[in-house]
Every structure is written in C-alpha cells, then in structure tokens.
C-alpha cells in the first residue's frame, strides 16, 4: 500500500513538474505578444488561444500533483481539531461519495469530447488563426486518469491513517519564499550564537 502511495505521488510529481514549465512558455508568449502589439503595432492572431490552451493544460495537469501534496483548498475549521483517525474516516467517505464519481465523470466526458474533437480536427473559433484544440481536449482525459490514480493513493493514505492514527506525510518539494527566508535567518542566528 505504501509503495503504491509513493508511486502515485512520484507519478503526479513528475507530470506536475514537467507541465509547470508551461509557465515559462506562457510568459514568453505573452511578452512577445505585448512587444509586437504595442511596440510594432502588429498583434498576432494566435496569442490568446495559445495562452488559454497552455494555462488550461497547466491547470489540469497540476491537479493530481496538488492533491498529492495536500495543496487543494479545504474548509477545515472543525476537521483540523479532530483526531487523525476521524479525519481519515471522513476523507475516505468523501473520496468514495464525491471524488471518484466526479473524476470518473470527468474522464468519460473528456473521452467523448476528445474523440469528437479528434474526429474532425477541431480548431478554436476564438481567433482567425484556427489554432488546433483537439490535443488540448485529450488533456482532460489524461488529467482525469492522473487524478484517479492519485485518488486511490489518497484512499490508501486514509486506510493507513485509520489503522495507525497518523497521516503519512506528503513529500514537500515546494516552499513559500517567506518560510525559506525565515529558516535561513534562524540558521544564521544559530551559527552566530553557538
């Protein structure tokens, strides 16, 4: 069970970090559009569509990674006060009742949209450039499958916690800048006053 959790976390991390590079491409593309539009008065027909596609892809492909790191928004004003075992029981039930049916619906609907889009080579109607979007609709299916795999890992985490009353910690690979600065300041203070 723990091996599957680690596998799913690593798979989600690989996809999340790989697709995070779209942020750089989006910034370059937007910067290019700003320069050609406002300096050379020659806007492109494709920039808006491409930025929507990249942002949507980044958002979709980052979902499983965010879930693996416990980064989704929670309304836990009561939940955080409970014992881990009780938290796990609630999470387990919510995954079964809400998460998995939603993700399965996402995969099935995404499959239908993607298949239809690929069948006629769908292009965007938002610009005269006719940017192809059928490949983007395939991202819906892939993202749903990754969420499904990560959801199974989260259910395994719940089962482990119900048995041990302790949550398996998620890998931490992203830190807030303020936390890193505070940590460095604390280490520097310790080094200065041994």
């Amino acid at each position: 069970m723990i091996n599957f959790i680690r596998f799913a976390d690593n798979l989600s991390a690989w996809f999340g970090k790989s697709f995070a590079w779209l942020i750089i491409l989006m910034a370059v593309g937007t910067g290019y559009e700003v320069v050609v539009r406002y300096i050379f008065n020659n806007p492109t027909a494709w920039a808006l569509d491409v930025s929507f596609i990249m942002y949507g892809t980044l958002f979709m492909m980052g979902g499983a990674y965010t879930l693996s790191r416990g980064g989704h928004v929670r309304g836990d004003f009561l939940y955080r006060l409970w014992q881990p075992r009780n938290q796990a029981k609630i999470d387990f039930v919510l995954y079964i009742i809400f998460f998995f049916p939603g993700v399965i619906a996402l995969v099935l609907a995404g499959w239908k949209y993607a298949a239809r889009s690929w069948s006629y080579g769908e292009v965007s109607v938002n610009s005269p450039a006719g940017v192809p979007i059928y490949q983007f609709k395939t991202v819906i299916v892939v993202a749903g499958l990754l969420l499904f795999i990560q959801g199974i890992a989260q259910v395994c985490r719940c089962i482990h916690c119900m048995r041990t009353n302790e949550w398996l910690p998620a890998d931490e690979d992203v830190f807030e800048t303020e936390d890193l600065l505070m940590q460095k300041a604390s280490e520097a203070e310790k080094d200065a006053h041994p």
Side-chain angles (χ1 to χ4, degrees):
M1 185 164 54
I2 292 183
N3 288 336
F4 181 78
I5 292 170
R6 296 294 171 229
F7 162 75
D9 285 354
N10 291 335
L11 180 69
S12 296
W14 187 87
F15 275 97
K17 290 175 183 179
S18 296
F19 280 87
W21 288 99
L22 287 175
I23 294 169
I24 303 295
L25 293 175
M26 287 170 41
V28 169
T30 302
Y32 174 79
E33 175 63 18
V34 167
V35 168
V36 299
R37 177 181 295 261
Y38 294 109
I39 295 177
F40 300 114
N41 197 26
N42 188 20
T44 63
W46 50 264
L48 181 64
D49 284 332
V50 171
S51 67
F52 280 168
I53 289 169
M54 285 194 288
Y55 179 73
T57 301
L58 173 65
F59 178 81
M60 294 292 290
M61 295 305 288
Y65 173 69
T66 305
L67 181 60
S68 74
R69 300 310 193 252
H72 285 284
V73 175
R74 299 180 71 112
D76 63 353
F77 61 97
L78 293 176
Y79 174 95
R80 64 186 166 87
L81 302 174
W82 299 341
Q83 289 291 317
R85 181 172 284 122
N86 293 332
Q87 292 173 345
K89 289 175 185 176
I90 295 297
D91 282 0
F92 181 85
V93 169
L94 293 176
Y95 275 111
I96 300 303
I97 293 175
F98 295 110
F99 179 84
F100 285 112
V103 169
I104 290 169
L106 176 71
V107 171
L108 295 176
W111 183 270
K112 182 177 82 173
Y113 293 137
R116 188 180 317 142
S117 186
W118 277 89
S119 72
Y120 62 86
E122 185 177 6
V123 296
S124 174
V125 297
N126 294 324
S127 72
V131 175
I133 60 172
Y134 48 87
Q135 73 285 2
F136 174 61
K137 293 203 175 173
T138 306
V139 168
I140 298 169
V141 178
V142 174
L145 292 173
L146 288 171
L147 277 170
F148 190 86
I149 292 167
Q150 189 60 49
I152 293 170
Q154 297 304 104
V155 166
C156 290
R157 269 195 171 89
C158 292
I159 292 168
H160 180 270
C161 184
M162 285 188 277
R163 291 178 181 164
T164 65
N165 201 31
E166 288 183 17
W167 284 109
L168 283 175
D171 290 340
E172 291 191 35
D173 54 3
V174 178
F175 302 96
E176 296 290 332
T177 304
E178 294 82 15
D179 293 340
L180 292 173
L181 291 173
M182 294 289 285
Q183 182 182 6
K184 277 193 167 197
S186 175
E187 290 171 3
E189 189 174 315
K190 286 179 186 175
D191 291 342
H193 304 289

